[in-house]
Amino acid sequence: MKYTIVIERAPNNYAAYAPDLPGCVATAKSRSQVIQLMREGIAFHLQGLRDEGQPVPPPQATATEVDVALAVGP
């Protein structure tokens, strides 16, 4: 399965979360570290759901980038 994660840059670290898995978050010093932590965290989260007999939500979130024209004043 592939889950979308959102990665945000903060002044001193990176933070990430999985929109399809509320509460599944991570922070790290580098982008690559936060991706690895999310990979591990998602696997752990899904196993916890299975262990508790909860349904595993299917991946639904997607992400894309959009170009935005910079508005110029009058």
Side-chain angles (χ1 to χ4, degrees):
M1 280 198 237
K2 289 187 178 185
Y3 283 91
T4 296
I5 63 171
V6 177
I7 302 169
E8 298 175 341
R9 177 75 168 112
N12 298 315
N13 66 346
Y14 288 82
Y17 65 94
D20 292 321
L21 303 169
C24 192
V25 301
T27 62
K29 289 289 184 187
S30 73
R31 188 176 191 281
S32 62
Q33 287 174 325
V34 83
I35 291 169
Q36 182 59 36
L37 288 175
M38 285 301 296
R39 185 175 290 117
E40 294 167 5
I42 289 170
F44 183 76
H45 188 90
L46 297 179
Q47 187 60 52
L49 291 173
R50 287 186 193 110
D51 290 349
E52 294 177 5
Q54 300 289 327
V56 172
Q60 295 184 33
T62 61
T64 190
E65 295 177 345
V66 295
D67 290 320
V68 179
L70 180 61
V72 180

